[in-house]
Amino acid sequence: MNDIVIANFEQTKEEILVGVDRDSFFENWQENETWEVGFLVMKTKDNAHSFDLVDYESSVFWNGQEFIIKQMKDYAVGAQRFKEVVATHVYYTIQDGYQYEQMTGTFSINQCLSHIFAAGARGFSYEVINTNGVFSRIEQENFGGGNYLKLIDEVLSDYDAVVIPDNKHLRFYPRSYYGNETQEQIRYKFNTDEVHFEIDTYSLKTQIRGFGKKKEDDSYYFSPITYTSPESAKWGVRIQDPVSDDRFTVASSMSARLRRDIHDYPDISGTVNIKWAIDLNRGDKVTFVYEPLNVCQMIQVVGLKKYPLIPNKPPEVTLSNNKKTMTNILAGLKKKGVL
């Protein structure tokens, strides 16, 4: 079992933290939204030194990652003293950097990230995992003029990317190309009774057209390609915005791109409470079966809340197959009175 280690802000003192209420300890990750740990610790004769290190801006080291205490409640019950804290992953200290300069043009994700960190790395490094050249160049207008976290959030939205921090090293993945396809299954009335989700077909499309690169005489290397999904037999022809990408000079490559880009399925987002522990990690794809609505679809894990100090306690899992952020998902559920 991993130890919880606490260090002061100056990083001059470090202790293993004992006396933590095991039932209170949690680790919460939500894709592109938050990563934090929280716990309640009671002062005892065995942890007098480490207890005093628990303070605002102190570092909590858990499972190889550093978290910074940003919220804390310090109180006493009779003669007994307690501290209740929430510590946010060190990645989020990136908001303390600011890029004043702006740029306009058509840029790659690498160029945008390079522009952000041109104002100073602040101890951070990054890499882009551009599987099969999925990331396209995007037109940007006045990109900059914000803190690093705000600008990275813009990059994640514009390029449909996911950031996975490893302390201060950041890996940027195309949303569709991180996590593993698992054999695990989440099935209503089998390993979960409590399901909160929403399904919508606003973005469901069954036909898309692609335009490749033009030659100097203004003709295309290949004629525009139209792909019609087999789902059109069920939903009819619903036309998606076309793809126009001058990187493509071969028709077969564009055809593969259109098959990948077509959004020919309903969007599903929701949270489930699992009855027992299952092996799921960030970004994993899991089969979600909800028979009352005839749902059986591979959906991605976009949120995990774990209780690692409680043996066999299952996680709370958030699933989604669309591009909404967790903030939008939860706001929508609250608005509908589900949460």
Side-chain angles (χ1 to χ4, degrees):
M1 182 179 296
N2 292 328
D3 291 322
I4 302 168
V5 176
I6 185 77
N8 63 349
F9 172 70
E10 296 81 10
Q11 303 277 308
T12 57
K13 299 178 182 178
E14 185 178 289
E15 299 268 356
I16 294 175
L17 183 62
V18 297
V20 172
D21 176 27
R22 298 170 65 86
D23 289 345
S24 72
F25 188 89
F26 69 85
E27 179 181 357
N28 179 34
W29 170 83
Q30 304 292 334
E31 180 188 283
N32 290 347
E33 294 285 338
T34 191
W35 190 4
E36 61 191 9
V37 295
F39 55 86
L40 174 70
V41 59
M42 178 177 68
K43 188 172 185 177
T44 67
K45 63 180 181 179
D46 296 323
N47 71 358
H49 294 295
S50 60
F51 185 88
D52 289 342
L53 294 178
V54 178
D55 204 351
Y56 295 104
E57 297 297 316
S58 291
S59 292
V60 176
F61 295 93
W62 166 255
N63 204 20
Q65 300 293 319
E66 181 180 4
F67 300 81
I68 310 298
I69 295 177
K70 295 293 185 179
Q71 297 173 259
M72 186 176 74
K73 183 164 65 174
D74 188 345
Y75 62 96
V77 178
Q80 189 65 64
R81 192 173 166 200
F82 299 87
K83 289 181 180 179
E84 188 174 349
V85 307
V86 175
T88 304
H89 194 272
V90 68
Y91 159 62
Y92 291 94
T93 65
I94 206 167
Q95 66 184 309
D96 296 331
Y98 202 95
Q99 171 55 275
Y100 291 93
E101 302 297 323
Q102 298 180 345
M103 64 179 189
T104 297
T106 303
F107 303 110
S108 67
I109 185 173
N110 276 292
Q111 288 173 307
C112 288
L113 293 170
S114 178
H115 178 65
I116 294 170
F117 290 101
R122 304 186 66 85
F124 286 88
S125 59
Y126 68 89
E127 62 180 305
V128 175
I129 315 299
N130 194 3
T131 307
N132 297 329
V134 171
F135 287 129
S136 299
R137 294 167 64 86
I138 301 293
E139 186 175 343
Q140 300 284 352
E141 184 174 354
N142 299 324
F143 178 76
N147 72 62
Y148 286 8
L149 183 60
K150 173 181 176 293
L151 296 177
I152 287 176
D153 284 345
E154 289 182 20
V155 167
L156 298 177
S157 176
D158 290 347
Y159 293 89
D160 194 25
V162 174
V163 60
I164 302 295
D166 182 1
N167 290 311
K168 287 191 171 185
H169 182 68
L170 313 179
R171 293 184 175 89
F172 292 85
Y173 295 84
R175 182 180 299 276
S176 303
Y177 285 86
Y178 87 108
N180 299 309
E181 197 166 298
T182 74
Q183 299 301 311
E184 298 285 3
Q185 185 179 96
I186 295 177
R187 190 182 190 100
Y188 182 61
K189 292 297 185 183
F190 172 63
N191 57 359
T192 180
D193 288 331
E194 190 174 344
V195 180
H196 299 293
F197 66 93
E198 62 176 13
I199 299 175
D200 74 59
T201 58
Y202 289 113
S203 299
L204 191 154
K205 306 295 180 183
T206 58
Q207 189 177 93
I208 186 171
R209 182 171 295 186
F211 299 83
K213 185 175 182 179
K214 283 187 175 181
K215 301 177 183 178
E216 292 183 0
D217 63 3
D218 207 36
S219 65
Y220 287 103
Y221 276 86
F222 57 87
S223 298
I225 295 173
T226 299
Y227 170 71
T228 302
S229 165
E231 293 296 314
S232 62
K234 178 178 181 180
W235 303 106
V237 174
R238 305 183 183 193
I239 301 174
Q240 188 168 321
D241 289 344
V243 171
S244 184
D245 194 329
D246 61 10
R247 294 179 303 169
F248 289 90
T249 59
V250 179
S252 60
S253 297
M254 175 58 79
S255 293
R257 165 75 181 274
L258 297 179
R259 285 179 170 81
R260 185 176 69 239
D261 284 7
I262 190 73
H263 195 93
D264 57 354
Y265 51 86
D267 287 334
I268 303 174
S269 307
T271 59
V272 296
N273 290 325
I274 310 300
K275 290 181 180 178
W276 57 80
I278 61 176
D279 186 20
L280 287 177
N281 294 299
R282 294 172 296 181
D284 282 353
K285 286 88 172 177
V286 58
T287 301
F288 178 46
V289 181
Y290 187 70
E291 289 160 334
L293 287 181
N294 197 29
V295 172
C296 180
Q297 193 171 106
M298 189 71 74
I299 304 182
Q300 194 164 35
V301 174
V302 297
L304 278 173
K305 188 173 184 181
K306 298 180 177 180
Y307 303 87
L309 300 187
I310 308 175
N312 299 318
K313 182 172 175 69
E316 297 168 16
V317 183
T318 305
L319 303 167
S320 179
N321 71 348
N322 62 32
K323 300 176 182 180
K324 293 181 181 179
T325 65
M326 279 310 305
T327 298
N328 290 336
I329 294 169
L330 295 178
L333 290 172
K334 288 178 181 177
K335 185 176 180 180
K336 294 178 181 181
V338 177
L339 293 179

